[in-house]
Amino acid sequence: MFITMSKLIATLSIQGTLPTITNGVKNINRYQSLKAFFRQKNAYRIFAEPFYDPTGKFITWQTDWEYSGSPRALHIFTDEEQARHRSLIKKQAVGLYLAANELQNRFPNKAEYKDLSLILRDCLEIPADVKANIFVLNVPDEHGTVHERYVITQWAHLEDVENPRRRIIERWLSLQPFDIAFRCSYANGIVATGERFELQYQKMGSEGFKTIELVSDTDGMAEVAEVKPNTTMQLKWLRSDEADQWEQQIMRDERQEYEVVLPQPTSTPTRGPRTLYFTYVNNLKEKIPVPDVAVSFPYNGTTFTQTTDGKGKFQWPQFPFEEKKLSFTTHYENRTGEGRIKIVKDCDQYIIYPKRPWWIWWLWGLLGLLALLLLAWLLRDCSGGTIFILRSPYSVIVKDDSSRVALPDVEVRVITPKDTLLSRTDGNGQVTIDAQKGDTVAISLQKEGYNDSELVAVVQTERDTTVYLQKQPEMRKMEGQTGDIRVNLQWNTTDDLDLHLRLPNGQRVNYQAPRTQEGDFFAELDIDANDGVQAAPAEGIIQRILKRQVAIPEDLTQQPQENIRCESPMAGIYQVVLINYAPRTKTPVKYNIYLKVGDREEIFSGTIEPVAKKEILIKEFTITAQ
């Protein structure tokens, strides 16, 4: 499968996680949608691009950023640095969320903006080990100044547990300008969960101090609303053991998150009756809180009953169990639902989803069968008794990536579960795909002068999908030979750029190893430029490497090329790598790289910094076994 130029962040297991509202195929489409909506100022790049392992066990996360060094996970930084990074990440995330709302408000009748903020909110969810899933990159600009950029991996996934918690990204989004949060841990680094505190603080719009009690949640977080800026806060740890008494005065500044480090407790307290917090939401897809829902929990011969407030929430004070599986019944607008929930000792906050009685599904199934029988009867004269399944029109609109102008005559290949269809876009850049609702289809797009594009889509609605094709830069006439795989590098300086092709067997084709052969497979670097070495077939590799250290001016050219070709390629993963071996001009070098795999062609353009032996990954692709 062909992908746009990107760089590796990490390959992470998705075992133990589950998507927020969808599956992996739709997550890829979601990334492309966010990229289209938030392309301006590279705002979409806060999300890493997902590439799913065929086994379904891993996701390789990549980014469009051209960064230097290695990605750094958030957890390697000091607490002070993490607080600074979290503040900047929150600023970007909130900015995206507000931009999505603005699009919806400006274009209320456009279907493509209807669910944008909900989709974005679900994307801004990641599992509990948040610090291991956010990476900091060093990204140089066109002037060489390095900036820190943030990339989120494992987005749109939660922990695969019963009642998964909404994690830190949503917490950052939910904090209002005058809300704050305390992040609590012990001196040994363990998260302090279930600890009680007494807080004295000044509330916005009121005089004097207010005293409240806080309890840290399973992430060690405790939140307070509407704290007046530039005031002092007194935080006291409520422990029965006098040896564990602890109190701290904290200055309320511009931060919204404060680190609280508690001394190691001398004993582990036994936990008494606690208060549980529940939120009732309308369904698994939207998760919108619903007020005025009566919820009943029968247990041990008694029943606890509460009604959700205006925010869909209610409490169960003095909950009598550490852990327990409970059944519940809901009553809402003359409808009754049932469900089960597992209470665990380390979590006090839960989400309840409506569940319909089993007979509701049987009723829907019966109605569907009756509808099919009716349809068969209506079509009995024209169908020879065959039941026709109604199909949902699904349209793709293809546009130029830079001008946003519709592209006609684009070759479109569609692979459905039943057939492979060939078509072309009309004068409006549109093509209609005849696929059944619920089908997963693979779509490949080709047009001369543009990079090929591939996407996977699930036919669900009649809403159009817009795909943007990138125009290929112009290249000079290519030197060297072609093959089943061809990689051609071109640039316009006397710098010594090196083209490498990493093979599935771990070898590289480059100036040090210009030829390799294994069975029918053959690969060769047949053009090498600006290495300062005159062609001498009799010379060995060692002599070529030694001569390379001293450039011979007459061998240098202002229009160099390097070319690698492969015949009968072996199956596996290939990587195209570019190295600035000798930056003679001491300036950034613009390059174009042509890649042909079979009958598919792409051209990648970019700039490599004048750093000796700097290496960047241009493209990774996979050849499947025949």
Side-chain angles (χ1 to χ4, degrees):
M1 178 176 180
F2 281 74
I3 54 178
T4 56
M5 186 179 69
S6 55
K7 293 195 66 177
L8 177 68
I9 296 296
T11 298
L12 303 173
S13 171
I14 54 174
Q15 300 301 303
T17 72
L18 77 167
T20 51
I21 65 170
T22 184
N23 56 34
V25 172
K26 293 178 70 176
N27 268 11
I28 295 173
N29 284 346
R30 180 183 299 172
Y31 173 83
Q32 296 299 332
S33 298
L34 294 175
K35 184 174 181 178
F37 285 124
F38 301 113
R39 182 179 295 273
Q40 187 177 13
K41 297 182 181 179
N42 296 312
Y44 72 93
R45 291 184 176 178
I46 192 173
F47 299 109
E49 183 172 6
F51 294 93
Y52 286 77
D53 178 81
T55 65
K57 296 180 180 179
F58 298 92
I59 301 179
T60 296
W61 299 94
Q62 303 193 30
T63 179
D64 289 349
W65 286 119
E66 285 290 333
Y67 63 84
S68 59
S70 301
R72 294 166 294 164
L74 193 61
H75 63 69
I76 72 170
F77 293 89
T78 65
D79 291 344
E80 183 178 349
E81 290 172 326
Q82 286 184 32
R84 177 176 66 85
H85 289 312
R86 284 196 296 269
S87 176
L88 294 173
I89 296 168
K90 179 203 164 185
K91 183 178 180 181
Q92 290 185 37
V94 172
L96 279 179
Y97 192 64
L98 295 177
N101 284 329
E102 182 181 354
L103 284 172
Q104 289 179 308
N105 293 333
R106 287 174 57 194
F107 307 102
N109 297 322
K110 284 198 173 185
E112 58 264 37
Y113 298 137
K114 181 179 178 182
D115 299 322
L116 184 58
S117 60
L118 287 175
I119 289 175
L120 186 61
R121 192 178 187 89
D122 278 298
C123 286
L124 289 169
E125 289 290 358
I126 54 180
D129 51 344
V130 56
K131 295 180 183 178
N133 294 319
I134 295 181
F135 290 84
V136 183
L137 309 179
N138 288 332
V139 178
D141 61 19
E142 57 186 6
H143 305 295
T145 304
V146 176
H147 304 272
E148 288 179 329
R149 305 297 184 198
Y150 304 102
V151 176
I152 300 173
T153 64
Q154 302 289 64
W155 53 265
H157 287 76
L158 294 175
E159 284 184 298
D160 190 6
V161 297
E162 192 169 356
N163 306 306
R165 293 284 313 282
R166 287 295 191 180
R167 295 297 173 183
I168 194 167
I169 291 292
E170 177 166 290
R171 184 174 291 116
W172 291 343
L173 285 172
S174 64
L175 287 177
Q176 299 302 311
F178 298 106
D179 297 351
I180 65 169
F182 297 102
R183 179 180 292 276
C184 309
S185 62
Y186 301 114
N188 61 1
I190 296 176
V191 175
T193 63
E195 294 291 357
R196 296 168 52 246
F197 300 90
E198 180 183 273
L199 177 69
Q200 289 187 346
Y201 72 104
Q202 289 185 263
K203 188 174 182 179
M204 291 292 298
S206 62
E207 298 297 330
F209 283 86
K210 181 178 181 179
T211 301
I212 61 172
E213 184 174 311
L214 302 175
V215 179
S216 59
D217 64 17
T218 54
D219 292 326
M221 302 293 289
E223 298 173 11
V224 189
E226 299 183 346
V227 180
K228 187 180 295 185
N230 302 318
T231 58
T232 57
M233 302 176 289
Q234 194 73 22
L235 187 66
K236 183 179 181 180
W237 189 19
L238 300 179
R239 299 281 293 205
S240 57
D241 194 332
E242 293 185 1
D244 291 329
Q245 294 302 308
W246 179 91
E247 196 168 346
Q248 184 176 349
Q249 189 176 81
I250 302 172
M251 184 64 188
R252 168 72 167 103
D253 49 29
E254 71 279 359
R255 290 177 295 168
Q256 285 193 283
E257 192 172 299
Y258 297 82
E259 296 287 341
V260 174
V261 180
L262 303 172
Q264 185 68 19
T266 57
S267 61
T268 303
T270 56
R271 191 171 186 182
R274 53 185 171 142
T275 299
L276 298 186
Y277 302 86
F278 297 87
T279 303
Y280 184 92
V281 298
N282 66 347
N283 59 51
L284 285 172
K285 182 176 181 180
E286 297 176 347
K287 296 186 175 64
I288 298 176
V290 182
D292 301 323
V293 179
V295 184
S296 301
F297 287 89
Y299 70 102
N300 290 5
T302 63
T303 300
F304 173 83
T305 302
Q306 280 280 18
T307 302
T308 58
D309 61 16
K311 296 183 179 180
K313 300 180 182 295
F314 67 93
Q315 299 179 12
W316 188 338
Q318 301 295 306
F319 182 73
F321 308 104
E322 280 286 293
E323 295 188 353
K324 193 170 182 64
K325 291 183 179 179
L326 293 169
S327 300
F328 63 86
T329 304
T330 60
H331 302 276
Y332 177 62
E333 295 183 347
N334 298 321
R335 297 197 302 270
T336 299
E338 297 177 348
R340 290 181 62 82
I341 194 168
K342 181 180 179 181
I343 307 299
V344 296
K345 63 181 179 181
D346 293 326
C347 181
D348 288 342
Q349 302 185 42
Y350 298 87
I351 295 176
I352 297 177
Y353 305 109
K355 295 186 178 180
R356 301 181 186 275
W358 62 270
W359 55 267
I360 291 289
W361 303 112
W362 281 97
L363 179 60
W364 278 111
L366 179 60
L367 291 175
L369 179 60
L370 291 175
L372 286 176
L373 293 174
L374 176 62
L375 180 62
W377 182 80
L378 291 174
L379 297 175
R380 66 189 185 282
D381 293 330
C382 60
S383 65
T386 302
I387 299 178
F388 288 91
I389 303 299
L390 296 179
R391 294 173 180 266
S392 174
Y394 183 81
S395 295
V396 173
I397 300 174
V398 185
K399 295 184 178 181
D400 184 284
D401 181 64
S402 56
S403 66
R404 295 298 196 269
V405 174
L407 294 176
D409 202 35
V410 178
E411 181 180 308
V412 181
R413 180 187 297 268
V414 181
I415 302 176
T416 71
K418 296 182 179 179
D419 203 358
T420 297
L421 310 173
L422 292 176
S423 184
R424 290 184 178 273
T425 56
D426 60 19
N428 297 318
Q430 184 168 338
V431 63
T432 299
I433 299 168
D434 188 22
Q436 184 177 334
K437 188 173 182 180
D439 280 351
T440 298
V441 297
I443 305 171
S444 64
L445 307 169
Q446 287 183 294
K447 184 174 177 63
E448 186 176 354
Y450 287 83
N451 282 334
D452 297 342
S453 179
E454 291 194 355
L455 67 150
V456 178
V458 177
V459 181
Q460 283 198 339
T461 69
E462 296 184 2
R463 185 168 57 192
D464 296 337
T465 295
T466 301
V467 181
Y468 298 94
L469 294 186
Q470 293 183 339
K471 187 172 291 186
Q472 294 177 344
E474 294 184 3
M475 297 192 69
R476 302 189 300 272
K477 181 179 179 180
M478 287 183 281
E479 302 173 3
Q481 300 182 56
T482 188
D484 294 327
I485 297 175
R486 182 180 189 177
V487 190
N488 184 275
L489 164 66
Q490 299 182 7
W491 70 105
N492 296 309
T493 70
T494 57
D495 297 279
D496 183 8
L497 302 189
D498 279 337
L499 182 63
H500 290 217
L501 180 63
R502 291 176 181 157
L503 306 177
N505 60 8
Q507 298 180 12
R508 285 196 185 200
V509 179
N510 56 22
Y511 74 92
Q512 293 175 303
R515 296 176 185 84
T516 184
Q517 188 166 3
E518 184 176 315
D520 294 334
F521 171 72
F522 172 78
E524 176 186 31
L525 172 73
D526 58 357
I527 298 293
D528 186 20
N530 281 1
D531 64 354
V533 180
Q534 296 181 358
E539 291 180 337
I541 294 175
I542 299 299
Q543 287 80 4
R544 286 178 57 85
I545 295 175
L546 291 174
K547 282 191 174 184
R548 191 181 182 91
Q549 307 305 317
V550 180
I552 302 175
E554 58 266 24
D555 287 338
L556 304 184
T557 173
Q558 291 284 355
Q559 292 189 330
Q561 292 190 30
E562 297 203 353
N563 192 81
I564 295 176
R565 69 185 183 97
C566 299
E567 298 290 355
S568 301
M570 64 180 72
I573 297 175
Y574 293 72
Q575 290 183 330
V576 179
V577 177
L578 179 62
I579 298 177
N580 193 345
Y581 187 89
R584 298 187 180 101
T585 62
K586 309 301 181 184
T587 59
V589 182
K590 294 182 179 180
Y591 62 83
N592 290 326
I593 294 180
Y594 166 87
L595 173 63
K596 181 182 83 71
V597 181
D599 60 349
R600 311 303 296 272
E601 299 176 308
E602 290 181 281
I603 298 177
F604 305 101
S605 299
T607 302
I608 189 168
E609 296 302 312
V611 179
K613 299 184 179 180
K614 177 178 177 60
E615 178 175 320
I616 58 176
L617 175 64
I618 300 298
K619 172 77 173 186
E620 181 177 280
F621 61 93
T622 301
I623 299 293
T624 56
Q626 298 297 322

